[in-house]
Amino acid sequence: MKKGQLGFLTGTHAVNDLYQGVIPAMLPFLMTERHYSYAAVSGLAFAASGVSSLFQPLFGILSDSKPRGWLVPVGSVTAALGVVAAGLSDSYLLTWIFVALAGIGIAAYHPPATSQARAAGGSSQKAMSVFSVGGTVGGAVAPSLTTVVIGSLGFDAGYLLAVPALVMLVLWVLKGPWMRWRGHEEAAPLMSGPAGKAAGDGAGPTDDWRAFGRLVVVIIGWSIPYVTVTSLLSLHAQRDLGQSEAAGAVALTSYTAAGAVGTLLGGWIGDRHGRMTSVRAGYLVALPALAGIVWAPWFPVLVVCAALFGAAMFLPFAAQVTLAQDYLPNRPGTASGLTLGMAMAAGGLCSPAFGWLADNSGLPSAFYALLVVFVVPVGLALRLRDRVLPVAGLRSTPTAETADSGAP
């Protein structure tokens, strides 16, 4: 494990996903100041996550064809500029375009950064969970930072939100001791397929597209409640439980901060008990936690259930990323782009529908529908199969491609 590289990449992940968290945190302020409807707010959520997700597979394919490490800082800076411009724009159309631009910047970051993190962390689930938790921490900080900057100073002070991305850009340009990767380390971490053959490894493992497709379906089902709860949780606290904007930010922060705990716990469980244990445990706990959000009678109950739901949803996160890369060992960037991108697009695409339902039938109805939808991925996640592959630099002879985790 290359701890210096992993630590720096974890920091860049925190910066990048800070902007992913800033956008939903901005929605209540946009709704209040510009009188947007639930549907309009959900449309912005789609611009952030849906458009971003549609672009991620493209960046994944580009990362597989040739190392493009420069997308890491460029993506985060683009996301920052999009967020700032969205806060300063006057029309809904311009706001939507700038939010979409921020989403594209977020998309550009993930495939190359995830491949680099897998290479730095080797075969450890804990290493990938550390990298993943960087993004979760960034998302957890975002609501409080947005409330302090925009809630106190207004959208005119939104340029302050760009400072973290600019600092990260400077560190990247300086190329200090935290950036000691070169050449092919920026590309596929699993030296199989074309890369492995070139290195003299022989045939190497093949891509299992069928298993990968099943995983994508599960992640699609994961993304719908994740994106919708992120978009509507703060509004749920304010509109249905009579809380303030600050209290809504607390609920959202609890949700995202608990995700960091769940990510680290999932990595620990994956290393000790197998990654499929963390996947199944996460989905089984998340379902009743979501029910608690739906039926929470008081704000403290909502916060507790949101925190439990956030932790449970991120328990399988690192395992899903590494499992996707092991299903497609010859295309790790594509695997990252599709699982973190195209699958997540479902959440963004469905978000306006839940917003429309909230406008017409109230927020509780939207959450009831969400609970029904989430039953499907929970059932499918219990049937996923593991696949264990060697990591670049850690094997001398081919090993078995698959290991049945006990699922039927």
Side-chain angles (χ1 to χ4, degrees):
M1 186 185 301
K2 301 169 185 177
K3 295 183 179 179
Q5 295 177 18
L6 184 63
F8 178 64
L9 288 167
T10 299
T12 67
H13 200 187
V15 171
N16 185 79
D17 283 18
L18 170 72
Y19 300 106
Q20 196 166 21
V22 163
I23 294 171
M26 288 172 58
L27 297 183
F29 296 102
L30 290 171
M31 201 168 189
T32 300
E33 182 173 308
R34 303 179 187 178
H35 308 292
Y36 291 157
S37 65
Y38 286 122
V41 166
S42 297
L44 293 177
F46 165 73
S49 60
V51 173
S52 169
S53 300
L54 292 173
F55 274 84
Q56 275 201 53
L58 172 61
F59 289 116
I61 294 170
L62 291 174
S63 297
D64 282 339
S65 63
K66 180 182 179 181
R68 289 178 170 83
W70 54 268
L71 283 174
V72 173
V74 170
S76 295
V77 171
T78 301
L81 295 178
V83 164
V84 172
L88 297 175
S89 61
D90 295 327
S91 71
Y92 179 80
L93 177 60
L94 285 176
T95 301
W96 195 97
I97 291 173
F98 286 129
V99 168
L101 178 64
I104 293 172
I106 293 167
Y109 167 90
H110 279 108
T114 303
S115 294
Q116 289 175 0
R118 184 75 190 274
S123 61
S124 171
Q125 298 297 306
K126 183 178 179 181
M128 183 55 69
S129 73
V130 169
F131 170 73
S132 300
V133 86
T136 308
V137 169
V141 171
S144 298
L145 180 62
T146 305
T147 300
V148 169
V149 173
I150 295 178
S152 301
L153 303 175
F155 282 105
D156 290 340
Y159 65 88
L160 295 173
L161 296 173
V163 171
L166 296 178
V167 171
M168 188 269 282
L169 176 62
V170 170
L171 292 176
W172 189 279
V173 171
L174 289 176
K175 293 186 180 298
W178 51 83
M179 288 181 61
R180 292 299 184 234
W181 60 79
R182 293 291 184 271
H184 193 74
E185 287 183 50
E186 288 190 302
L190 303 179
M191 294 275 285
S192 54
K197 293 173 187 176
D201 284 332
T206 59
D207 294 331
D208 189 346
W209 285 98
R210 183 177 179 180
F212 178 76
R214 288 194 295 266
L215 176 62
V216 168
V217 172
V218 171
I219 297 177
I220 287 173
W222 179 94
S223 72
I224 293 173
Y226 169 71
V227 173
T228 304
V229 171
T230 301
S231 302
L232 299 180
L233 180 63
S234 181
L235 295 171
H236 180 41
Q238 295 175 43
R239 302 296 173 89
D240 296 326
L241 299 180
Q243 301 299 310
S244 65
E245 291 179 346
V250 168
L252 189 57
T253 299
S254 300
Y255 169 57
T256 52
V261 177
T263 305
L264 290 175
L265 182 59
W268 180 85
I269 292 173
D271 279 345
R272 285 160 178 76
H273 305 288
R275 59 185 168 189
M276 301 314 298
T277 301
S278 62
V279 170
R280 292 163 182 157
Y283 283 96
L284 287 174
V285 174
L287 184 60
L290 179 58
I293 293 175
V294 173
W295 289 304
W298 306 292
F299 180 69
V301 176
L302 176 66
V303 172
V304 171
C305 291
L308 182 60
F309 183 65
M313 286 292 279
F314 280 89
L315 205 64
F317 189 82
Q320 290 178 161
V321 173
T322 59
L323 187 61
Q325 292 176 333
D326 285 347
Y327 283 155
L328 301 183
N330 300 313
R331 297 171 177 82
T334 302
S336 300
L338 286 170
T339 53
L340 298 175
M342 185 65 76
M344 284 295 293
L349 288 169
C350 291
S351 185
F354 286 100
W356 176 87
L357 184 60
D359 278 332
N360 289 274
S361 302
L363 274 171
S365 297
F367 280 107
Y368 294 147
L370 190 64
L371 184 62
V372 173
V373 169
F374 191 48
V375 172
V376 176
V378 172
L380 293 175
L382 300 180
R383 299 181 61 84
L384 286 175
R385 297 165 66 95
D386 201 359
R387 192 188 198 196
V388 179
L389 295 176
V391 180
L394 297 180
R395 80 168 189 251
S396 56
T397 59
T399 60
E401 290 185 21
T402 59
D404 192 341
S405 65

